[in-house]
Amino acid sequence: MCLGIPGQIVEVTDADNLMAMAEVSGVRREVNVACVVANDPEALVGSWALIHVGFAMSLIDEDEAAKTLEALRGLGEAQETLEAMAQGDAALEGTS
């Protein structure tokens, strides 16, 4: 399964090679914007994109980005709960 994480393009770092800095949940990472650039890479600054393995794969609006980030946070919390339950089950099995 491919998972794109919303990130906001905050600056163009290398226009010739279509590289930009994206901020994803407070973390900045350089990404390739070749898949989403129309003409001028600078026009992407401020835009939201789905980021996957170092590439901006598609542009999304800010509302969609917020909803996706919230859903991902919820999945993270669910995963933490499942892991805690598994650890609890393993501990109980060890005491039987």
Side-chain angles (χ1 to χ4, degrees):
M1 175 174 86
C2 293
L3 179 64
I5 299 174
Q8 187 174 33
I9 307 298
V10 294
E11 71 177 288
V12 174
T13 56
D14 183 348
D16 292 336
N17 291 308
L18 301 175
M19 299 298 291
M21 190 65 63
E23 186 168 314
V24 179
S25 296
V27 176
R28 289 184 175 212
R29 178 178 183 177
E30 195 170 40
V31 298
N32 184 290
V33 294
C35 295
V36 298
V37 69
N39 294 317
D40 178 18
E42 292 290 338
L44 292 172
V45 174
S47 297
W48 287 87
L50 287 177
I51 309 293
H52 179 66
V53 292
F55 289 87
M57 301 303 293
S58 64
L59 295 177
I60 59 175
D61 64 36
E62 187 173 0
D63 185 52
E64 180 73 18
K67 288 177 183 176
T68 303
L69 285 169
E70 186 61 33
L72 290 172
R73 285 186 194 102
L75 288 173
E77 290 174 12
Q79 184 62 33
E80 289 173 12
T81 300
L82 290 172
E83 288 173 4
M85 290 172 63
Q87 289 173 355
D89 288 345
L92 288 174
E93 290 172 5
T95 61
S96 303

